Amino acid sequence: MKRIINTAVRTAITLILTTTAFTSCQSAPEIPEQPCIINFVNFIRQVEPRDERFTNEYLFQTTANELAQLNEYGFRGTFLLQYDALVDSAYQQLMREAKEKGHEVGAWWEITEPHVRDAGMTWRGRYPWDWHANVGFATGYTPEERERLVDTYMNRFHEIFGSYPESVGSWFIDAHTLQYFSDKYGITASCNCKDQYGTDGYTLWGGYWNQAYYPSRVNAYMPAQTSEGQIPVPVFRMLGSDPVLQYDNALDSRVQGVITLEPVYTGNGGGGGNRQWIEWFLPAMANSKSLGFNYIQAGQENSFGWEAMKNGLTMQMPIIRQLADEGKVRVETLAESGRWFKERYPLTPATSVTVDDDFLHDGRSAAWYDSRFYRIGLFWEGDFFVIRDIHLFDESIESDYLRQAGTSTQCVYTTLPIVDGYLWSTSDERAGLRLVALQGESGTEEIPVFSHSFRQTAADQLVVDQKTPYGTFTLTLNEDNITCSLRAKKKVNWAMEFTAAPKASLPFDELSAQEMRATWKGHPYAFHLQKGSFETASSSSGKPTSWRMHPQRGKIVLSCQLSDRE
């Protein structure tokens, strides 16, 4: 597939549109307030067996410094206690002081030796805290054991603080545990890790990309589609992930690095300890024209140590303070965000994140749109545009850990892919769905995009307009479908074409004019076109490996509600 390059047209359009900014969501009076919410979430471990320098006292002083810094800037944060820290008298006194200043104290759900012992069970870990998924997380225990762990923690918390915690966070948490927390103890909010692949042995891939969602009763990573199928506890996505660069990180290794707001990450590739990245990320997220609301989690786990995080936090704090004073962000506790979310949204809302460049200002930009039915990721680099990710959500798919203990040292949560620009790519062959012109027997040529802009036309609708040599190509992202249209100024036979790296393991089984059937990790599913038609571009062993969507009367409408498939 070749690229169409028209330098004169590109230059003219670029000059005209250089001052074009995102259309303000605030201009439509029927669209409600769309805040950018920041939670400072600092979770606390009492021990750190991976580094002998990190004594219990050093970890405690790190937490005390985090608290003092929040107090200095007038912020209220959320401190989540692992059980070993909960039962430590020094942390108890420090957290009582924090609560008096208006901070929230909740639970961090990694499992430790004293927790297991106090629940009347036998510890299987290598150290008093073991980060392996089958020992250090609730997924490594049977459902009955998980309930015992919850009761042990909540009863001890109540003995110490006189109430139950409202927030429970973890890198990942299973649906049985979260449902039990909700039903018996009425928790308000939870949080889990950003999307990542293989990092620390934990894979969460294809889920609701940022902000928050109501999880399925049978899969805490999968957004639910119905009120009957959801756990009524919003799960907020942690760490402040880079919307442009994190997704493609480490394409060839399948173990991603970290490009987040965490202040310990100082590399040239970005992160919360890199001043250039911080000065780009925080204003970009605060000013993003996001549907519903935008969300940033700041703070750091204490087991990195104060020396590693203090420079990054010192850079971040005054920027966040200024954004808060200007009314561009709202800093609050995790429980406060959970209450606001539950009052405003009976079901998982449609939200988005849009940024018009990356921190290097080198022509790369991205957008993410999420709803209770699907997520989509858009990416631009120069005049290159690709839909690099579409994943569908199905509340009926049980996680591997719902009914039994996980035995692997790793953990994997996924959803249902239509496009996966990470798993189906290499550094040389990038998978995605692209706008192409059909050139008869010579194949297809990719149509360049010279500029793009965003506008919101309804509370759950994001419109992306893109200038091309043939006219304006528009993506309309609705809660349950994606519409592609080309308002052509010159004749072109166009389509949306999917391609992947040659050896990619694709889920597609069978393609008809209106429907694609697929299977992912043993789960059969199907998606269909409400307008337009599918065509197989190439196949292997009778299964589609490359395919196109052709317009009908100038439009393609891809339904993002799953079709039934026996």
Side-chain angles (χ1 to χ4, degrees):
M1 183 174 66
K2 298 180 289 185
R3 309 283 304 280
I4 298 174
I5 303 297
N6 188 325
T7 304
V9 173
R10 175 184 176 186
T11 301
I13 293 174
T14 301
L15 288 172
I16 293 170
L17 297 172
T18 49
T19 59
T20 300
F22 294 125
T23 301
S24 173
C25 299
Q26 307 296 329
S27 60
E30 72 276 10
I31 297 171
E33 176 200 5
Q34 300 174 66
C36 180
I37 297 171
I38 295 182
N39 294 154
F40 282 96
V41 178
N42 300 306
F43 54 92
I44 304 169
R45 302 185 180 109
Q46 188 216 27
V47 298
E48 175 46 81
R50 294 171 295 185
D51 193 327
E52 62 183 14
R53 297 172 301 169
F54 289 7
T55 63
N56 293 4
E57 176 61 24
Y58 185 66
L59 295 176
F60 176 81
Q61 289 301 326
T62 296
T63 303
N65 286 332
E66 290 179 301
L67 175 59
Q69 190 176 61
L70 286 173
N71 290 338
E72 177 186 353
Y73 281 89
F75 294 135
R76 292 178 302 111
T78 296
F79 290 87
L80 302 179
L81 292 168
Q82 196 168 266
Y83 188 86
D84 57 352
L86 172 69
V87 298
D88 185 287
S89 60
Y91 283 109
Q92 292 170 14
Q93 180 57 37
L94 184 67
M95 291 299 102
R96 289 189 183 99
E97 295 171 5
K99 286 170 69 70
E100 289 175 359
K101 295 284 188 179
H103 300 281
E104 177 191 10
V105 180
W108 181 250
W109 211 245
E110 291 183 64
I111 311 304
T112 61
E113 182 176 12
H115 192 176
V116 168
R117 185 180 63 242
D118 287 356
M121 300 185 294
T122 301
W123 176 244
R124 296 178 280 109
R126 300 165 295 167
Y127 316 101
W129 167 65
D130 189 332
W131 53 93
H132 281 171
N134 60 331
V135 174
F137 292 85
T139 54
Y141 299 82
T142 67
E144 185 273 335
E145 289 172 333
R146 296 171 205 173
E147 293 181 9
R148 291 167 64 184
L149 289 167
V150 171
D151 290 337
T152 299
Y153 187 101
M154 298 300 266
N155 290 336
R156 194 61 182 272
F157 191 101
H158 194 279
E159 290 174 5
I160 295 166
F161 296 111
S163 62
Y164 294 119
E166 291 189 78
S167 298
V168 178
S170 182
W171 291 136
F172 48 92
I173 191 167
D174 64 284
H176 185 91
T177 297
L178 194 60
Q179 185 76 61
Y180 191 71
F181 269 123
S182 176
D183 290 347
K184 187 168 183 179
Y185 298 100
I187 66 168
T188 300
S190 185
C191 57
N192 68 2
C193 187
K194 68 173 182 17
D195 258 37
Q196 61 181 33
Y197 204 91
T199 311
D200 295 327
Y202 315 145
T203 292
L204 296 89
W205 197 250
Y208 199 99
W209 187 82
N210 197 53
Q211 285 96 336
Y213 64 95
Y214 289 116
S216 162
R217 288 179 177 269
V218 299
N219 188 331
Y221 179 67
M222 183 78 73
Q225 288 75 61
T226 65
S227 58
E228 298 78 13
Q230 71 187 18
I231 300 172
V233 176
V235 177
F236 291 81
R237 303 308 304 270
M238 295 178 69
L239 303 182
S241 190
D242 186 312
V244 184
L245 303 180
Q246 177 64 57
Y247 182 84
D248 290 331
N249 189 282
L251 275 175
D252 292 321
S253 75
R254 293 295 182 259
V255 178
Q256 288 191 318
V258 178
I259 309 175
T260 69
L261 191 58
E262 294 172 274
V264 297
Y265 293 108
T266 60
N268 293 331
N274 178 315
R275 179 176 291 278
Q276 183 182 4
W277 188 89
I278 292 170
E279 291 178 345
W280 164 77
F281 176 79
L282 288 170
M285 295 292 278
N287 294 318
S288 173
K289 301 304 182 288
S290 302
L291 305 186
F293 71 105
N294 207 351
Y295 178 75
I296 304 170
Q297 182 255 309
Q300 186 73 70
E301 60 201 274
N302 68 337
S303 56
F304 276 102
W306 181 246
E307 294 302 315
M309 69 179 72
K310 68 177 181 180
N311 289 339
L313 287 174
T314 300
M315 287 189 284
Q316 293 178 20
M317 286 291 183
I319 299 175
I320 297 174
R321 182 70 269 169
Q322 180 177 348
L323 291 170
D325 291 343
E326 293 172 350
K328 294 182 177 179
V329 300
R330 193 172 82 199
V331 179
E332 60 192 25
T333 67
L334 180 57
E336 288 172 334
S337 297
R339 284 193 291 273
W340 173 86
F341 187 96
K342 294 174 75 170
E343 290 170 359
R344 187 170 185 176
Y345 301 116
L347 294 167
T348 296
T351 65
S352 64
V353 176
T354 63
V355 292
D356 60 354
D357 64 359
D358 69 344
F359 83 105
L360 296 174
H361 309 294
D362 59 5
R364 292 178 290 182
S365 61
W368 291 90
Y369 177 96
D370 299 274
S371 78
R372 58 194 165 113
F373 296 106
Y374 74 105
R375 82 173 191 188
I376 181 171
L378 314 179
F379 179 73
W380 294 266
E381 184 171 11
D383 63 359
F384 164 94
F385 165 70
V386 64
I387 298 175
R388 61 179 174 179
D389 187 278
I390 304 176
H391 278 76
L392 304 179
F393 305 144
D394 183 350
E395 66 183 19
S396 70
I397 294 178
E398 294 187 3
S399 81
D400 296 337
Y401 316 105
L402 179 68
R403 303 179 188 276
Q404 60 190 7
T407 57
S408 172
T409 59
Q410 301 187 359
C411 178
V412 177
Y413 279 99
T414 61
T415 61
L416 302 176
I418 295 178
V419 177
D420 196 315
Y422 180 76
L423 290 182
W424 304 341
S425 295
T426 65
S427 56
D428 297 322
E429 301 279 349
R430 306 298 288 273
L433 191 59
R434 296 174 174 87
L435 176 65
V436 300
L438 305 179
Q439 303 291 322
E441 294 183 359
S442 63
T444 63
E445 292 182 319
E446 188 174 351
I447 298 176
V449 169
F450 302 139
S451 66
H452 61 276
S453 61
F454 302 97
R455 52 193 171 95
Q456 182 179 1
T457 54
D460 61 356
Q461 186 178 84
L462 181 70
V463 179
V464 187
D465 294 314
Q466 306 184 69
K467 300 301 182 182
T468 80
Y470 296 102
T472 301
F473 174 65
T474 298
L475 284 173
T476 304
L477 309 178
N478 298 296
E479 183 184 43
D480 60 0
N481 68 62
I482 301 165
T483 298
C484 310
S485 62
L486 180 62
R487 192 164 61 250
K489 294 183 178 180
K490 54 190 279 190
K491 187 175 181 180
V492 61
N493 187 10
W494 66 277
M496 297 296 295
E497 182 174 71
F498 168 81
T499 58
K503 295 183 179 180
S505 180
L506 303 177
F508 310 121
D509 296 326
E510 183 182 359
L511 184 69
S512 66
Q514 303 303 129
E515 184 177 73
M516 172 76 81
R517 291 174 171 255
T519 305
W520 182 250
K521 296 188 179 300
H523 301 292
Y525 60 106
F527 50 95
H528 69 278
L529 290 174
Q530 295 172 311
K531 183 171 287 191
S533 60
F534 284 117
E535 175 197 23
T536 299
S538 63
S539 63
S540 176
S541 302
K543 296 185 177 183
T545 57
S546 175
W547 44 268
R548 300 186 189 111
M549 297 186 294
H550 295 276
Q552 177 186 359
R553 296 182 179 178
K555 285 187 177 181
I556 298 168
V557 181
L558 174 65
S559 174
C560 293
Q561 294 194 57
L562 286 165
S563 302
D564 292 332
R565 181 178 175 187
E566 298 297 332

